[in-house]
Each structure stands twice: as structure tokens, then as C-alpha cells.
Amino acid sequence: VVRALGKCGDLTAEVNALLAEHDIETNAFSPGALKELPRVDWKISADELKVRRDMRSHRTMSIDPPGCTDVDDAVSVRRVRLPPGGDVDRAIKHMGGGVNGGGV
């Protein structure tokens, strides 16, 4: 036993087990990383919305490899009901908008 995470079946313990199993960091962001965040009142400009698809209502996750320093590639997933013979769309997105170069 490396460390006790809680009782089997307990949601918090199960989530912590998944995080530990896959080496997912849960530490707080460094001050330098926090400085890279946009202002609290930041909004996507109307011009940006004209040239991008708004995916904020979709479950989206990074697919960048471990150790990557420019976390900017993502996939989104959604459940769709298809008629027989229908197609499923898939997308890989490059999420460079709003990211300033040369940061942490």
C-alpha cells in the first residue's frame, strides 16, 4: 500500500484513485502560470466568434501529451442519436485563440 485514498465505492476515493493511477497533478498553479490567465472580465470578441465555432457548451478535454508545454489541442465529445446509416462527426481542435506566446 502506497497510500490510503478511502473506501472502495466512495466517490472522492475513486476519483483520487483515478488521478493517482494516471499521474494527474492536482497541485495549485504557480504564480507565474496564474499570471498567464486572462483578466476576470475577459470575453471573446465578436470578431473571434465569427471565425470560430463556440464549443463552450460541449465537454472538451486536452489531448496534448504528458509534459507538453503548449496545451492547445483538444477533442470534444457529445452523445448524438443517429438514424440507421447515419454518420458521427469527430473533431480535433486547435485551441490557440486567446493564448499569448512566450509565457510559462
Side-chain angles (χ1 to χ4, degrees):
V1 174
V2 175
R3 76 182 139 154
L5 300 174
K7 293 183 179 183
C8 287
D10 175 73
L11 179 60
T12 301
E14 297 290 340
V15 168
N16 287 333
L18 287 169
L19 293 170
E21 179 181 352
H22 297 283
D23 294 322
I24 298 173
E25 293 289 331
T26 59
N27 300 328
F29 289 107
S30 70
L34 292 173
K35 282 183 181 179
E36 298 291 325
L37 291 172
R39 297 181 325 265
V40 173
D41 61 346
W42 179 85
K43 290 192 167 98
I44 298 171
S45 71
D47 289 339
E48 277 294 311
L49 283 174
K50 289 178 189 173
V51 298
R52 295 182 181 270
R53 181 180 294 171
D54 187 350
M55 302 296 289
R56 290 175 287 178
S57 65
H58 297 272
R59 291 175 191 241
T60 304
M61 67 229 64
S62 169
I63 58 167
D64 287 295
C68 180
T69 59
D70 66 336
V71 181
D72 62 349
D73 294 308
V75 295
S76 64
V77 179
R78 63 183 166 143
R79 181 176 294 174
V80 294
R81 296 183 189 265
L82 301 172
D87 292 327
V88 175
D89 288 333
R90 70 253 175 241
I92 298 178
K93 292 140 180 75
H94 179 75
M95 301 184 345
V99 178
N100 298 324
V104 174

